[in-house]
Amino acid sequence: GVLTRGHAMAAVARGALAMTDDPATEIDTLAILEWTRRTDVADDLARLRADGGTELAAAVTSWLAERAGRLGAAVAALLAADRIADLVPLGLVAGLFAPTADQTDAPGSDLAHGLFLGRYGLAGLAPDDLRAWYHDAAGLVVGSLTDRERSSVLEAAATRVRELGIEQLAGRSELLPQGLVARLETLASAVDAALPSDPAAAPSVGALVAVEKAWQEVTRHFLARTESSCPAAEATVRLLRWLAVDTQTAGGLGDLTDRYVRGDGWVDAALVTARRGADNRALSEAVSLVIVRAADRRREHDRRFAAALADTPQPTGPVVEQLQRTVALPLAKARP
């Protein structure tokens, strides 16, 4: 048989760089992305240069860039800069400079773009290169990594954002931690604006629309499902909805009992969740304001219920004193 360049380079990649131990596994874009997540990738490359010489190392890195497909330019640049371990984190950051069709360039994005390319030796990468890089890196993070690996990559990407000083631009991201922080702070501002100065007044329709829009943006972020502040944020939105529709209930004890079953009980559950608090400072302050309004309203409901109960010495509905005789004992007899 004939030893081709491809066979030779693949053998070196598998043996010296430990990219895969399965000869049947093709070394492609995904394999290269996964390989860069290894903690010893820099050591393996250094060993290849030391043991095989600079010519072999250059040949292998050139071949890897070819095998990376549409990520070839990024792979070549990071290999040359000895930063290949940053391929996935920087790919997430690259998405900030390749806005989608429904996004406009943010103020200062051109300067940040130039800083990003210059800092990491990426000059020459076109917007299409950055977009492809982001899509492949994001696909790996969302679909292939474990929770621990994903957290590590996202924190590394967030660190690069801080190094570049582009936190505001990163607020647009649906993957980077800065994107979730920005969304939570926008929600906090919307919640604060939705609370009328008069505690007895209901939030306006327009204010609620702004809150709902901000909350939807939060839920679109990839990290929202695991963010510790989100349960309190969701509970706060629910409480605002209730404050907007709650009205005085006319009638006696039966009507007030029905109100508790249909609404106030759910409000109490939301208050429990909201009181667990949020880590985000701005959101925590907004949550506290809503808790005060909702709790005051609930206390008023309880006072009205207590007054109605005092005025009804013989309630017609079920009461606690009857539970054992009318509910517990029949159940025990039916299912001993």
Side-chain angles (χ1 to χ4, degrees), residues 148-164:
R148 177 176 293 184
E149 291 170 337
R150 185 179 298 118
S151 177
S152 175
V153 169
L154 290 172
E155 181 51 40
T159 298
R160 301 297 171 264
V161 166
R162 289 190 290 270
E163 290 173 352
L164 292 167

Side-chain angles (χ1 to χ4, degrees), residues 60-84:
V60 172
T61 55
S62 176
W63 179 79
L64 287 175
E66 294 172 12
R67 298 301 301 170
R70 62 183 188 173
L71 297 193
V75 168
L78 292 180
L79 282 169
D82 203 21
R83 300 201 66 145
I84 194 61

Side-chain angles (χ1 to χ4, degrees), residues 92 119 147 207 326:
L92 300 183
R119 174 72 63 88
D147 288 343
T326 62

Side-chain angles (χ1 to χ4, degrees), residues 28-266:
D28 56 10
T29 303
L30 179 58
I32 292 172
L33 283 167
E34 291 177 338
W35 167 65
T36 65
R37 296 297 310 131
R38 293 172 57 96
T39 57
D40 54 357
V41 62
D43 292 338
D44 287 341
L45 284 167
R47 192 177 302 111
L48 174 63
R49 287 191 290 268
D51 296 344
T54 56
E55 289 188 10
L56 176 60
V60 172
T61 55
S62 176
W63 179 79
L64 287 175
E66 294 172 12
R67 298 301 301 170
R70 62 183 188 173
L71 297 193
V75 168
L78 292 180
L79 282 169
D82 203 21
R83 300 201 66 145
I84 194 61
D86 276 335
L87 181 64
V88 180
L90 288 180
L92 300 183
V93 180
L96 301 176
F97 309 108
T100 58
D102 60 340
Q103 290 179 325
T104 58
D105 289 336
S109 60
D110 288 342
L111 178 61
H113 183 193
L115 182 62
F116 173 72
L117 296 180
R119 174 72 63 88
Y120 302 111
L122 301 170
L125 266 67
D128 286 344
D129 295 325
L130 297 175
R131 190 172 293 108
W133 188 6
Y134 169 73
H135 286 158
D136 286 348
L140 178 76
V141 170
V142 172
S144 300
L145 300 185
T146 65
D147 288 343
R148 177 176 293 184
E149 291 170 337
R150 185 179 298 118
S151 177
S152 175
V153 169
L154 290 172
E155 181 51 40
T159 298
R160 301 297 171 264
V161 166
R162 289 190 290 270
E163 290 173 352
L164 292 167
I166 56 172
E167 288 91 339
Q168 184 174 359
L169 183 61
R172 299 165 53 145
S173 173
E174 293 185 358
L175 277 178
L176 295 173
Q178 286 91 346
L180 182 56
V181 170
R183 284 163 170 76
L184 290 174
E185 291 178 349
T186 298
L187 175 63
S189 297
V191 168
D192 187 61
L195 289 172
S197 56
D198 180 5
S204 69
V205 173
L208 275 181
V209 169
V211 169
E212 295 287 359
K213 181 179 179 181
W215 172 239
Q216 287 301 314
E217 286 298 312
V218 170
T219 61
R220 286 177 56 189
H221 196 280
F222 178 72
L223 294 175
R225 62 187 178 87
T226 57
E227 167 58 40
S228 59
S229 294
C230 281
E234 181 179 18
T236 299
V237 174
R238 291 176 59 194
L239 291 171
L240 271 177
R241 293 169 185 158
W242 174 71
L243 288 170
V245 300
D246 179 59
T247 57
Q248 293 291 341
T249 298
L253 182 62
D255 294 320
L256 296 177
T257 300
D258 185 66
R259 178 174 67 180
Y260 182 83
V261 172
R262 295 179 180 276
D264 288 358
W266 297 104

